[in-house]
Amino acid sequence: NAGVTQTPKFQVLKTGQSMTLQCAQDMNHNSMYWYRQDPGMGLRLIYYSASEGTTDKGEVPNGYNVSRLNKREFSLRLESAAPSQTSVYFCASSEARTGTEAFFGQGTRLTVV
Amino acid sequence: LAKTTQPISMDSYEGQEVNITCSHNNIATNDYITWYQQFPSQGPRFIIQGYKTKVTNEVASLFIPADRKSSTLSLPRVSLSDTAVYYCLVGTPEAPGSARQLTFGSGTQLTVLP
């Protein structure tokens, strides 16, 4: 079982460049999430999605866009990267009606120079 | 969403039992309590979840008093590999067709010493 797969694992961007972080889950989960984690900090929710075609803002959505392409895939786009977006990004998925158990990917380490 | 409070850090020695307490005074009737473990450079991993009283699995136990305003994660006989950040979350199961905001606090850094 792959679980939650994120690509790429590492990325270096120049300020102003754009990129899309990909996330896919094979557990048939309804809900998917994007978080960022800065050094020594907890996770902060960027966006989340309850189902295909629906997305909602989390705690820190500014500077990001998301697409829930289908039930499996949830992508995060940085249109114009800034050094403040240097962070580790985690994607997660969960299933409705099972409490608050979620499954996380291994993360994408993004550096914006 | 119920706010949680947990210690920033804890130290323990190998072989000891570790108890990490989380305070969640505003927990709602339908809220569950979930604990996650995170190693450096990895995503959080689900450890245990409960609603009331005591829950035990192969990794940990979760103690929840009757008023549910706090909970305690108990790790028996810790080893060096249990050094990690532990997060306590409080929230409700998803309603069909909707998602919840899963909010993580800063967690508790547990360091197990030899």
Side-chain angles (χ1 to χ4, degrees):
Chain A
N1 268 347
V4 178
T5 303
Q6 293 183 231
T7 55
K9 289 186 170 52
F10 302 94
Q11 183 71 49
V12 178
L13 289 178
K14 293 182 179 178
T15 298
Q17 286 186 320
S18 63
M19 80 160 294
T20 299
L21 281 64
Q22 307 286 354
C23 175
Q25 52 95 4
D26 62 2
M27 295 172 282
N28 202 36
H29 286 170
N30 289 315
S31 299
M32 297 187 73
Y33 307 81
W34 275 106
Y35 291 88
R36 63 175 287 173
Q37 185 171 37
D38 299 324
M41 306 282 287
L43 287 86
R44 292 186 292 171
L45 182 64
I46 305 172
Y47 272 93
Y48 61 107
S49 168
S51 61
E52 178 182 351
T54 66
T55 61
D56 288 286
K57 295 179 180 180
E59 182 185 356
V60 288
N62 291 343
Y64 305 94
N65 288 303
V66 291
S67 295
R68 184 73 181 271
L69 306 170
N70 47 56
K71 193 170 186 179
R72 288 187 66 246
E73 299 172 290
F74 188 36
S75 62
L76 178 72
R77 182 162 179 83
L78 287 70
E79 291 290 351
S80 179
S84 60
Q85 294 178 304
T86 293
S87 189
V88 180
Y89 292 85
F90 290 102
C91 176
S93 72
S94 70
E95 177 58 39
R97 301 178 295 283
T98 57
T100 51
E101 180 176 0
F103 297 83
F104 283 78
Q106 288 301 298
T108 296
R109 187 173 298 274
L110 176 67
T111 302
V112 183
V113 298
Chain B
L1 295 171
K3 179 177 170 58
T4 60
T5 303
Q6 42 181 135
I8 294 173
S9 63
M10 294 180 69
D11 290 342
S12 181
Y13 290 96
E14 280 191 291
Q16 290 188 333
E17 177 184 74
V18 170
N19 295 310
I20 305 174
T21 297
C22 179
S23 172
H24 28 80
N25 291 320
N26 297 323
I27 190 168
T29 302
N30 295 332
D31 282 345
Y32 281 71
I33 300 153
T34 310
W35 286 81
Y36 289 81
Q37 175 190 56
Q38 185 180 26
F39 297 114
S41 302
Q42 295 187 24
R45 181 176 73 101
F46 171 87
I47 301 177
I48 196 166
Q49 178 175 272
Y51 183 79
K52 62 180 179 181
T53 62
K54 176 184 174 182
V55 179
T56 297
N57 62 22
E58 65 277 7
V59 176
S61 294
L62 178 59
F63 298 92
I64 305 168
D67 66 6
R68 304 201 326 125
K69 293 185 183 300
S70 67
S71 59
T72 299
L73 174 72
S74 181
L75 304 173
R77 297 180 298 281
V78 294
S79 64
L80 296 177
S81 63
D82 292 315
T83 294
V85 177
Y86 292 82
Y87 296 96
C88 164
L89 271 71
V90 173
T92 58
E94 301 168 12
S98 68
R100 332 158 233 86
Q101 292 198 41
L102 291 183
T103 303
F104 287 73
S106 299
T108 298
Q109 171 66 58
L110 172 66
T111 301
V112 180
L113 305 169

